[in-house]
Amino acid sequence: MQQRTGGGPGPEVARGATVSQTPEQWRGVERALLRMRRMVLVTTMAALTFATAAVLGLPLGPVWALPALLWPALAGWGWFALARNWRSWRYAERADDLLISRGVLWRELTVVPYGRMQLVEVTSGPLERKYGLARLQLHTAAATTDATIPGLVPAEAERLRDRLTELGEARSAGL
Protein backbone atom coordinates (compact mmCIF):
# COMPACT_ATOMS: atom_id res chain seq x y z
CA MET A 1 0.00 0.00 0.00
CA GLN A 2 1.32 3.41 -0.87
CA GLN A 3 1.44 5.67 2.15
CA ARG A 4 1.80 9.39 2.33
CA THR A 5 2.63 11.23 5.48
CA GLY A 6 2.37 14.83 6.53
CA GLY A 7 1.74 17.65 4.14
CA GLY A 8 -1.92 16.75 4.00
CA PRO A 9 -4.79 18.96 4.96
CA GLY A 10 -4.76 19.69 8.64
CA PRO A 11 -6.65 21.87 11.06
CA GLU A 12 -6.09 25.57 10.74
CA VAL A 13 -4.29 27.01 13.76
CA ALA A 14 -5.06 30.51 14.98
CA ARG A 15 -2.11 32.87 15.41
CA GLY A 16 -0.40 32.22 18.74
CA ALA A 17 -2.25 28.94 19.36
CA THR A 18 -0.45 25.67 19.88
CA VAL A 19 -1.40 22.23 18.70
CA SER A 20 -0.98 19.52 21.31
CA GLN A 21 -1.66 16.61 18.94
CA THR A 22 0.99 14.86 16.93
CA PRO A 23 0.71 15.24 13.15
CA GLU A 24 -1.69 12.87 11.44
CA GLN A 25 -0.39 9.80 9.61
CA TRP A 26 -2.02 10.19 6.18
CA ARG A 27 -2.51 7.07 4.10
CA GLY A 28 -3.27 6.99 0.40
CA VAL A 29 -5.44 4.52 -1.47
CA GLU A 30 -4.11 1.64 -3.57
CA ARG A 31 -2.66 2.24 -7.03
CA ALA A 32 -4.93 -0.54 -8.32
CA LEU A 33 -7.82 1.96 -8.02
CA LEU A 34 -6.11 4.15 -10.61
CA ARG A 35 -5.51 1.16 -12.91
CA MET A 36 -9.16 0.09 -12.59
CA ARG A 37 -10.51 3.56 -13.34
CA ARG A 38 -8.16 3.99 -16.30
CA MET A 39 -9.29 0.64 -17.72
CA VAL A 40 -12.93 1.76 -17.47
CA LEU A 41 -12.02 5.06 -19.17
CA VAL A 42 -10.16 3.44 -22.07
CA THR A 43 -12.85 0.81 -22.61
CA THR A 44 -15.65 3.37 -22.62
CA MET A 45 -13.83 5.80 -24.90
CA ALA A 46 -12.87 3.03 -27.36
CA ALA A 47 -16.51 1.92 -27.59
CA LEU A 48 -17.65 5.52 -28.13
CA THR A 49 -14.97 6.06 -30.78
CA PHE A 50 -16.02 3.02 -32.80
CA ALA A 51 -19.73 3.76 -32.39
CA THR A 52 -19.31 7.40 -33.50
CA ALA A 53 -17.11 6.39 -36.46
CA ALA A 54 -19.61 3.75 -37.54
CA VAL A 55 -22.69 5.97 -37.19
CA LEU A 56 -21.14 8.91 -39.04
CA GLY A 57 -18.61 7.23 -41.32
CA LEU A 58 -20.62 4.42 -42.85
CA PRO A 59 -23.59 6.40 -44.20
CA LEU A 60 -21.82 9.75 -44.83
CA GLY A 61 -18.24 8.82 -45.71
CA PRO A 62 -14.89 8.65 -43.90
CA VAL A 63 -14.44 12.43 -43.61
CA TRP A 64 -17.59 12.60 -41.48
CA ALA A 65 -16.09 10.04 -39.08
CA LEU A 66 -13.43 12.54 -37.95
CA PRO A 67 -15.52 13.73 -34.94
CA ALA A 68 -14.92 10.24 -33.51
CA LEU A 69 -11.38 11.44 -32.72
CA LEU A 70 -12.86 13.60 -29.97
CA TRP A 71 -13.20 10.52 -27.73
CA PRO A 72 -9.49 9.52 -27.77
CA ALA A 73 -8.56 13.15 -27.06
CA LEU A 74 -10.96 13.18 -24.12
CA ALA A 75 -9.49 9.86 -22.93
CA GLY A 76 -5.99 11.42 -22.98
CA TRP A 77 -7.15 14.26 -20.77
CA GLY A 78 -9.02 11.83 -18.51
CA TRP A 79 -5.92 9.66 -18.13
CA PHE A 80 -4.08 12.48 -16.34
CA ALA A 81 -7.16 13.77 -14.50
CA LEU A 82 -7.71 10.32 -12.98
CA ALA A 83 -4.11 10.28 -11.72
CA ARG A 84 -4.56 13.63 -10.00
CA ASN A 85 -7.82 12.49 -8.47
CA TRP A 86 -6.25 9.23 -7.24
CA ARG A 87 -3.41 11.14 -5.56
CA SER A 88 -5.92 13.36 -3.75
CA TRP A 89 -7.61 10.48 -1.85
CA ARG A 90 -6.18 9.92 1.66
CA TYR A 91 -7.31 9.21 5.17
CA ALA A 92 -5.92 9.54 8.68
CA GLU A 93 -6.96 7.90 11.93
CA ARG A 94 -6.85 10.18 14.95
CA ALA A 95 -7.67 9.60 18.60
CA ASP A 96 -11.29 10.79 18.36
CA ASP A 97 -12.14 10.84 14.67
CA LEU A 98 -11.31 9.73 11.15
CA LEU A 99 -10.23 12.27 8.53
CA ILE A 100 -10.94 11.66 4.84
CA SER A 101 -9.50 14.07 2.27
CA ARG A 102 -10.12 14.13 -1.47
CA GLY A 103 -10.49 16.40 -4.46
CA VAL A 104 -8.29 18.36 -6.81
CA LEU A 105 -10.25 21.46 -7.80
CA TRP A 106 -12.79 21.24 -5.00
CA ARG A 107 -10.97 19.86 -2.00
CA GLU A 108 -13.04 18.17 0.64
CA LEU A 109 -12.01 17.19 4.16
CA THR A 110 -14.52 15.02 6.00
CA VAL A 111 -14.17 14.51 9.75
CA VAL A 112 -16.14 11.57 11.13
CA PRO A 113 -16.16 11.36 14.96
CA TYR A 114 -16.00 7.74 16.11
CA GLY A 115 -18.93 8.22 18.51
CA ARG A 116 -21.24 9.34 15.65
CA MET A 117 -20.76 6.26 13.48
CA GLN A 118 -23.78 4.00 13.24
CA LEU A 119 -22.67 1.55 10.57
CA VAL A 120 -19.33 0.70 8.99
CA GLU A 121 -19.43 -1.60 5.98
CA VAL A 122 -16.95 -3.00 3.50
CA THR A 123 -18.18 -3.59 -0.06
CA SER A 124 -16.48 -4.86 -3.18
CA GLY A 125 -18.14 -5.05 -6.59
CA PRO A 126 -17.07 -7.45 -9.34
CA LEU A 127 -14.65 -5.00 -10.93
CA GLU A 128 -13.17 -4.04 -7.56
CA ARG A 129 -12.70 -7.73 -6.69
CA LYS A 130 -10.91 -8.30 -10.01
CA TYR A 131 -8.41 -5.60 -9.02
CA GLY A 132 -8.18 -6.77 -5.39
CA LEU A 133 -9.93 -3.71 -3.95
CA ALA A 134 -12.64 -2.92 -1.43
CA ARG A 135 -14.57 0.20 -0.41
CA LEU A 136 -15.19 1.29 3.20
CA GLN A 137 -18.51 3.07 3.76
CA LEU A 138 -19.23 4.96 6.99
CA HIS A 139 -22.81 5.81 7.91
CA THR A 140 -23.67 8.35 10.59
CA ALA A 141 -26.90 9.73 12.01
CA ALA A 142 -26.78 12.69 9.62
CA ALA A 143 -27.17 11.66 5.98
CA THR A 144 -24.83 14.40 4.78
CA THR A 145 -21.86 13.13 6.79
CA ASP A 146 -21.66 9.65 5.33
CA ALA A 147 -18.15 9.00 4.07
CA THR A 148 -16.47 6.54 1.74
CA ILE A 149 -12.88 5.43 1.25
CA PRO A 150 -12.48 3.60 -2.08
CA GLY A 151 -9.45 1.64 -3.25
CA LEU A 152 -8.43 -0.21 -0.12
CA VAL A 153 -6.94 -3.69 0.05
CA PRO A 154 -9.67 -5.93 1.54
CA ALA A 155 -7.50 -6.79 4.57
CA GLU A 156 -6.94 -3.07 5.32
CA ALA A 157 -10.64 -2.30 4.80
CA GLU A 158 -11.61 -5.06 7.23
CA ARG A 159 -8.99 -3.94 9.78
CA LEU A 160 -10.25 -0.38 9.53
CA ARG A 161 -13.89 -1.54 9.80
CA ASP A 162 -13.14 -3.56 12.95
CA ARG A 163 -11.14 -0.73 14.53
CA LEU A 164 -13.73 1.93 13.72
CA THR A 165 -16.57 -0.27 14.99
CA GLU A 166 -14.70 -0.92 18.21
CA LEU A 167 -13.88 2.77 18.73
CA GLY A 168 -17.43 3.78 17.77
CA GLU A 169 -18.95 1.45 20.36
CA ALA A 170 -16.55 2.69 23.04
CA ARG A 171 -17.25 6.37 22.26
CA SER A 172 -21.04 5.98 22.00
CA ALA A 173 -21.19 4.09 25.32
CA GLY A 174 -19.92 7.23 27.02
CA LEU A 175 -22.83 9.38 25.73
Side-chain angles (χ1 to χ4, degrees):
M1 178 163 160
Q2 183 168 0
Q3 295 187 5
R4 293 179 207 95
T5 60
E12 294 294 324
V13 179
R15 183 177 289 191
T18 60
V19 177
S20 60
Q21 292 181 337
T22 59
E24 294 86 22
Q25 177 76 20
W26 288 96
R27 294 177 168 210
V29 296
E30 290 295 315
R31 188 165 190 86
L33 179 66
L34 176 61
R35 286 195 310 271
M36 180 186 76
R37 289 181 174 175
R38 281 180 168 172
M39 189 274 305
V40 170
L41 173 73
V42 168
T43 304
T44 303
M45 293 302 164
L48 288 171
T49 300
F50 290 122
T52 304
V55 167
L56 295 176
L58 290 177
L60 301 174
V63 174
W64 288 94
L66 287 177
L69 295 178
L70 172 70
W71 301 117
L74 194 58
W77 174 83
W79 187 270
F80 295 105
L82 286 173
R84 289 193 64 191
N85 179 269
W86 168 76
R87 281 191 302 273
S88 75
W89 277 95
R90 56 186 168 265
Y91 65 97
E93 301 171 61
R94 297 196 309 184
D96 295 323
D97 48 32
L98 177 72
L99 302 176
I100 302 171
S101 174
R102 67 183 181 133
V104 177
L105 292 177
W106 287 272
R107 293 188 181 149
E108 182 177 318
L109 176 64
T110 304
V111 180
V112 183
Y114 296 136
R116 300 285 182 170
M117 285 187 262
Q118 292 184 334
L119 175 68
V120 181
E121 62 183 344
V122 174
T123 59
S124 186
L127 198 54
E128 288 171 318
R129 283 194 305 273
K130 181 181 184 313
Y131 282 86
L133 297 173
R135 171 183 304 267
L136 184 81
Q137 178 82 34
L138 306 165
H139 299 279
T140 62
T144 59
T145 58
D146 288 358
T148 302
I149 305 174
L152 297 174
V153 173
E156 171 65 6
E158 291 169 7
R159 181 203 67 83
L160 202 52
R161 178 197 61 207
D162 294 342
R163 182 173 188 278
L164 295 174
T165 302
E166 183 180 305
L167 287 168
E169 288 172 357
R171 298 293 194 284
S172 65
L175 291 178

